[in-house]
Amino acid sequence: HWRHAWQSTAMRSGMVLVLGLGLGVRLCAGMLGPWLIDRGVGMAQLATFWGVGGLCAGLAGTVAAGVLVQRAGVWRALHAALAIEATALLLVAICAASAVPTAALLAAATFFWIAMACGFVARYAWLMGLTSARQPGLDFTLLQCTDAAAAMVGGVAGGWMASLTGHPHSFATAAALGALALALPTWVRRRGGLAATPDQRSPGPRQ
């Protein structure tokens, strides 16, 4: 079973894409809280904002991605979600490098959470199409484990970069990775690695 997954070109491409598409977001996500604290947001305010704001933003992003997938299709929804993530990362990077009020910082953080939730839904809806009908559970688990590895690498790298160069440089790097992610799916697909990717297939159950 593991050998079958690794021999699948689509699965290998999918694992590479999970790492590449989410690295910029992961680099930013882990340092968002410390950055807000460094910019003067109080612990009590941050806790309330992180709990209530994060929940509402996550739900908004999830619903938006669901509507996008249903109306535009998985492939177009993925590109739209990546564009939203790249925009959110750029906004955070600009705020980190500028003297803006607290309200602007919190707005940037909220937009980032919405974009991240939207990206997760669109990305996984698309990646579900790469799994084999013979072993969809195993294949999807491999993709999730790859995403967990990306989260670990991104979190560690984000903290390391922020400690060495500061938040503005760290977030600028995340924004650059987010911009590069826009071209990654098309690049891999043109190389033949995603020839079996279903453009118009909905993320529903396999038959």
Side-chain angles (χ1 to χ4, degrees):
H1 293 289
W2 295 100
R3 183 179 180 183
H4 178 269
W6 183 248
Q7 288 176 340
S8 167
T9 302
M11 275 296 296
R12 292 199 303 270
S13 299
M15 287 187 281
V16 170
L17 285 171
V18 168
L19 288 171
L21 297 181
L23 193 55
V25 172
R26 299 297 194 179
L27 198 68
C28 176
M31 298 309 299
L32 204 59
W35 168 59
L36 291 174
I37 292 174
D38 288 349
R39 292 294 293 267
V41 178
M43 292 294 292
Q45 182 183 13
L46 182 62
T48 302
F49 176 73
W50 210 266
V52 179
L55 175 62
C56 293
L59 288 174
T62 299
V63 172
V67 172
L68 194 60
V69 168
Q70 290 296 324
R71 295 189 177 182
V74 177
W75 181 251
R76 291 179 181 176
L78 174 67
H79 282 275
L82 290 175
I84 294 171
E85 285 185 341
T87 302
L89 288 168
L90 179 60
L91 181 60
V92 171
I94 292 173
C95 288
S98 309
V100 295
T102 300
L105 302 179
L106 297 180
T110 301
F111 182 49
F112 172 79
W113 283 332
I114 294 173
M116 185 169 64
C118 185
F120 283 163
V121 173
R123 188 153 49 244
Y124 275 104
W126 178 64
L127 289 173
M128 284 173 67
L130 302 181
T131 61
S132 168
R134 293 172 50 185
Q135 51 181 38
L138 175 61
D139 288 354
F140 196 69
T141 298
L142 283 174
L143 294 172
Q144 286 186 311
C145 290
T146 306
D147 190 40
M152 179 181 65
V153 171
V156 172
W160 178 74
M161 289 184 62
S163 65
L164 290 179
T165 63
H167 292 298
H169 290 88
S170 178
F171 291 149
T173 301
L177 290 172
L180 289 175
L182 286 168
L184 189 56
T186 300
W187 180 77
V188 173
R189 194 180 185 211
R190 286 178 178 174
R191 290 176 62 89
L194 299 175
T197 301
D199 279 9
Q200 303 303 325
R201 184 184 304 173
S202 67
R206 290 175 171 267
Q207 302 297 321

